[in-house]
Amino acid sequence: MILSVRDLAVTRGGLAILEDVSFDLAAGEALVLRGPNGIGKTTLLRSVAGLQPPEQGTVAGAEDQIAYAAHSDGLKAMLSVTENLRFWASVFGLSDIEPALLAFDLTELRSRMAGTLSAGQKRRLGLARLMVTGRPIWVLDEPTVSLDAASVALFAEAVRTHLQQGGSALMATHIDLRLEEARVLDLTPFKAAPRTRQMDEAFL
Amino acid sequence: MRTLLIRDLMLAVRAGGGFGLGLAFFLIVTVLVPFGVGPQTELLSRIAPGILWIGALLACLLSLDRILALDWEDGSLDLLATAPLPMEGIVTIKALAHWITTGLPLVLAAPVLGVLLSLPIPAYQWVVISLAVGTPALSVIGTFGAALTVGIKRGGLLMSLLVLPLYVPTLIFGAEVARRGAEGLTVQTPLLLLAGISFGVMALLPFASAAVLRINLR
């Protein structure tokens, strides 16, 4: 058991959106979060990644274990593909970026400026960043946005390799990655009940 | 930490980076002031230390919104926050990078531009010393302002309003060092106070900046 989430409640813009979410993630496991837009997948992932403190509940095992990939890739347009990757590798105390370039088919683009890449290529570079963090838990928010079918296959392969090496992945995605080992957690039942607020609280 | 500094410096000098923005503004101010004041060398040399300090301060202010806003926009700030770097370290490095790309060039350019303002000879060393001691405070306070307003669209105006009052003590003592130096008076008291402000904000504000940044990232 490397990640354990218990009775998590999260809020967005001060409104409770999810409550009593509990799940465990073991080494070699992948968990796919599903649910309609606005259900709170991103907020939940940000809470797990430690960016947003949960309203209630606990996230255990996340400390310094998580590589987080958000909607935006955190790339610098004026740095080349290798410079971007080297920076993140070195922030996480690693130096070898070749496997990541290979896995996401970026070797031919290596000296291009990140600003001149297409949206899909940028996304691939953003996902390649996960491989240079050396962290066991990948927390991915819509990782396949703007990827074509071939790139989605590359990404699924990278996740599979990561799982086989004892890592785990928690992701919010709408498309089927054909990962046999992935479990699916539908967040719809955890939607927070609308709360009737006290009068004075509403004016605070 | 060093990687982050190197990346920030590299981004600043590449095309579209902020390097030179503050310096160009400083140059414009000091070139235009003599035209505005007129050909009275005596008057000009009396206001020169103050003009150099105000120019440096505004030049610093001009580039503050780049410190954190760019990293916020492309998502790197979220990713840095989940990286194994302490937030206090990140904001310190950001302030240091801002000082190296903005404050340091201003310190070095000030004696050259002092000629245009007919700065009195004894004032040169004190202008340089006071700017060298005072501009780090401007960068650190500015990073705090940037952290407060990160995520606010076009927060530049709000940030200027928040930061300017905090800049006033640095300006008062910095300009006082330069003025006293120009008149051949002893500069010890304002210089010590200026150094005190610099070291004080360097020691305390990174914690405040990190705290507000954590809240703003939620």
Side-chain angles (χ1 to χ4, degrees), chain A residues 46 49 51-53 66 68-70 72-76 78-80 83 87-88 90-92 113 129 135, chain B residues 3-4 7 10-11 14-16 70-85 214 217-218:
Chain A
R46 287 179 70 86
L51 287 166
Q52 182 175 344
I66 283 183
Y68 174 62
S72 32
D73 294 311
L75 304 174
K76 290 293 173 193
M78 292 313 292
L79 294 181
S80 72
E83 283 168 339
F87 165 69
W88 287 111
S90 129
V91 162
F92 284 88
M113 288 290 157
R129 188 187 61 82
R135 293 250 172 116
Chain B
T3 339
L4 183 58
R7 181 192 73 150
M10 204 146 81
L11 285 171
R14 291 228 169 135
L70 296 180
D71 278 348
W72 159 267
E73 277 161 20
D74 63 21
S76 349
L77 209 52
D78 276 350
L79 303 179
L80 279 173
T82 56
L85 299 177
R214 278 198 201 97
L217 283 181
R218 278 181 193 174

Side-chain angles (χ1 to χ4, degrees), chain A residues 132-181:
Chain A
V132 302
T133 59
R135 293 250 172 116
I137 309 174
W138 288 2
V139 173
L140 311 166
D141 196 356
E142 301 284 0
T144 52
V145 169
S146 64
L147 290 184
D148 59 14
S151 304
V152 169
L154 279 179
F155 166 66
E157 192 50 46
V159 172
R160 200 166 288 133
T161 318
H162 179 65
L163 298 180
Q164 277 159 9
Q165 289 167 349
S168 54
L170 172 66
M171 60 184 106
T173 176
H174 292 288
I175 68 160
D176 186 13
L177 286 175
R178 297 207 189 84
L179 280 170
E180 302 78 26
E181 48 276 72

Side-chain angles (χ1 to χ4, degrees), chain B residues 127-218:
Chain B
V127 165
V128 172
I129 289 172
S130 66
L131 281 174
V133 174
T135 44
L138 300 182
S139 291
V140 174
I141 296 172
T143 308
F144 176 60
L148 274 175
T149 53
V150 79
I152 300 175
K153 293 253 183 298
R154 288 167 204 83
L157 175 66
L158 180 62
M159 188 185 56
S160 309
L161 290 173
L162 286 169
V163 161
L164 269 180
L166 301 176
Y167 271 4
V168 168
T170 318
L171 174 66
I172 289 174
F173 293 115
E176 183 67 4
V177 171
R179 187 190 65 84
R180 289 199 185 183
E183 291 171 11
L185 302 169
T186 167
V187 299
Q188 196 190 14
T189 313
L191 190 57
L192 282 177
L193 281 166
L194 183 66
I197 292 171
S198 273
F199 288 123
V201 297
M202 270 189 250
L204 298 175
L205 271 188
F207 295 98
S209 309
V212 293
L213 204 50
R214 278 198 201 97
I215 293 171
N216 269 338
L217 283 181
R218 278 181 193 174

Side-chain angles (χ1 to χ4, degrees), chain A residues 3-197:
Chain A
L3 182 73
S4 173
V5 170
R6 286 280 163 271
D7 304 325
L8 196 71
V10 295
T11 58
R12 185 178 57 224
L15 288 175
I17 45 171
L18 285 173
E19 56 190 10
D20 298 330
V21 184
S22 297
F23 58 83
D24 292 311
L25 200 58
E29 247 188 345
L31 181 65
V32 175
L33 302 178
R34 289 266 158 83
N37 289 143
I39 189 78
K41 298 185 289 294
T42 297
T43 317
L44 179 67
L45 291 178
R46 287 179 70 86
S47 280
V48 171
L51 287 166
Q52 182 175 344
E55 194 71 4
Q56 269 168 25
T58 52
V59 178
E63 189 80 7
D64 287 339
Q65 300 295 314
I66 283 183
Y68 174 62
H71 287 281
S72 32
D73 294 311
L75 304 174
K76 290 293 173 193
M78 292 313 292
L79 294 181
S80 72
V81 169
T82 41
E83 283 168 339
N84 268 301
L85 265 191
R86 276 225 181 84
F87 165 69
W88 287 111
S90 129
V91 162
F92 284 88
L94 300 172
S95 56
D96 191 14
I97 60 164
E98 293 307 320
L101 286 175
L102 268 178
F104 284 93
D105 193 18
L106 291 162
T107 14
E108 280 176 25
L109 303 167
R110 57 188 311 149
S111 49
R112 287 264 294 275
M113 288 290 157
T116 64
L117 299 180
S118 79
Q121 290 168 333
K122 278 183 191 152
R123 190 77 240 199
R124 258 152 59 199
L125 178 53
L127 293 171
R129 188 187 61 82
L130 293 165
M131 293 186 68
V132 302
T133 59
R135 293 250 172 116
I137 309 174
W138 288 2
V139 173
L140 311 166
D141 196 356
E142 301 284 0
T144 52
V145 169
S146 64
L147 290 184
D148 59 14
S151 304
V152 169
L154 279 179
F155 166 66
E157 192 50 46
V159 172
R160 200 166 288 133
T161 318
H162 179 65
L163 298 180
Q164 277 159 9
Q165 289 167 349
S168 54
L170 172 66
M171 60 184 106
T173 176
H174 292 288
I175 68 160
D176 186 13
L177 286 175
R178 297 207 189 84
L179 280 170
E180 302 78 26
E181 48 276 72
R183 287 184 295 138
V184 173
L185 176 69
D186 192 348
L187 289 175
T188 321
F190 300 106
K191 189 169 180 173
R195 288 184 194 156
T196 40
R197 291 198 162 192

